[in-house]
Amino acid sequence: MAYVAPNDRPADKAARYLEVEAEVLAVLDGEPNVTARMATVASMLADAFEHYFWTGFYVVAPDKADELVVGPYQGTLGCLRIAFGRGVCGAAAATGQTQLVEDVHAFPGHIACDNRSASEIVVPVRDASGALIAVFDVDATTPAAFDTGDQEALERLMAKVFADA
Ligand code: SME
């Protein structure tokens, strides 16, 4: 399943992303805490899109170099730690590039936290200095649920929410 618009929401996915982005920024106005920001983004995006099955952050581990540790998320149980370079999240962290994966089972080293996941997108998250602080991971239960529209919208949203973090 790709984007399905609820009755009272924009039919266009890009318009829906813009609407949710404005809602997220309004909620977070004046809130500097990064965990609160991540929790709010995960909650509001997961609630906004039917194709989001697992939605959340893996943050750069403060206690271990080149490792991600699970952060705020919505969904079934996620793995706790992922090494840089491992799986889709680890590839996003190691390369600093968004990973758009149509078929997770064809991705080398994919980590199956929940075997219902079929496709995913992982977007690097940076602070104001440009340093990587986390990756944002969304999984869907259908193949090729995400496209460059999701990528552009999520990259823009993460830049706006975390560039002043
Ligand atoms: N699919 C991810 C692992 C994290 S979970 O899906 C929650 C990966 O391969 O990086």
Side-chain angles (χ1 to χ4, degrees):
M1 183 200 307
Y3 174 62
V4 178
N7 289 337
D8 59 341
R9 294 301 187 187
D12 176 55
K13 183 170 70 173
R16 180 71 179 120
Y17 270 112
L18 280 172
E19 188 178 70
V20 180
E21 178 185 295
E23 290 167 2
V24 167
L25 292 172
V27 169
L28 290 176
D29 187 33
E31 177 51 68
N33 183 274
V34 174
T35 304
R37 286 176 177 253
M38 289 182 177
T40 301
V41 167
S43 173
M44 293 183 79
L45 283 173
D47 190 47
F49 293 107
E50 292 288 332
H51 64 306
Y52 278 43
F53 169 66
W54 194 97
T55 310
F57 292 86
Y58 279 90
V59 302
V60 176
D63 56 335
K64 207 166 172 190
D66 295 338
E67 196 165 85
L68 298 165
V69 61
V70 77
Y73 69 93
Q74 300 273 317
T76 54
L77 181 66
C79 328
L80 298 185
R81 295 206 175 232
I82 299 174
F84 276 39
R86 229 188 119 224
V88 186
C89 292
T95 64
Q97 303 289 319
T98 294
Q99 306 292 306
L100 197 50
V101 181
E102 293 193 347
D103 176 5
V104 295
H105 304 296
F107 191 93
H110 168 250
I111 303 157
C113 297
D114 187 316
N115 61 17
R116 284 170 289 181
S117 291
S119 59
E120 86 181 87
I121 184 168
V122 183
V123 179
V125 177
R126 301 177 189 286
D127 66 12
S129 75
L132 185 80
I133 57 169
V135 299
F136 179 68
D137 177 15
V138 191
D139 291 20
T141 56
T142 51
F146 306 100
D147 58 24
T148 53
D150 297 273
Q151 177 174 353
E152 282 162 23
L154 289 174
E155 288 177 350
R156 186 191 60 231
L157 190 152
M158 296 304 151
K160 287 191 180 173
V161 171
F162 296 101
D164 61 349

